[in-house]
């Protein structure tokens, strides 16, 4: 059974396997359910960070990053 954490990492993994075109990191705040996703897409033309309060928000944002990067696998 895949956990939500597994789902998040599975969604973001392809973004880090693009030989530098895209890069994503996830930081979870100790003792909290939230954290931040830092991202760089399209050879540094779209850079930013997105805070999340729970894993469901992070998963939803991961889907939007994949869509923006046009990664469908």
């Amino acid at each position: 059974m895949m956990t939500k954490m597994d789902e998040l990492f599975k969604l973001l993994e392809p973004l880090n396997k693009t030989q530098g075109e895209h890069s994503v990191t996830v930081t979870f705040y100790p003792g909290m359910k939230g954290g931040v996703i830092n991202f760089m897409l399209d050879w540094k033309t779209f850079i930013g960070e997105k805070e999340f309060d729970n894993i469901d928000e992070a998963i939803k944002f991961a889907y939007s990053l994949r869509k923006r990067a046009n990664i469908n696998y």
Side-chain angles (χ1 to χ4, degrees):
M1 184 171 116
M2 184 166 38
T3 67
K4 288 186 177 189
M5 187 75 67
D6 294 331
E7 181 181 359
L8 176 62
F9 291 140
K10 184 175 178 134
L11 285 168
L12 295 176
E13 182 180 20
L15 291 167
N16 285 325
K17 292 186 173 181
T18 58
Q19 299 179 349
E21 182 179 359
H22 310 297
S23 178
V24 179
T25 61
V26 179
T27 303
F28 289 93
Y29 301 134
M32 301 176 70
K33 294 180 181 180
V36 64
I37 297 175
N38 294 288
F39 56 90
M40 184 275 306
L41 302 180
D42 302 322
W43 302 108
K44 298 183 182 178
T45 60
F46 185 62
I47 299 172
E49 67 180 32
K50 172 73 172 165
E51 290 193 20
F52 56 91
D53 293 325
N54 58 55
I55 194 78
D56 291 323
E57 285 181 18
I59 289 170
K60 183 177 177 181
F61 187 67
Y63 276 108
S64 71
L65 284 177
R66 283 178 60 123
K67 184 176 180 180
R68 167 97 187 201
N70 200 26
I71 293 181
N72 300 314
Y73 49 89

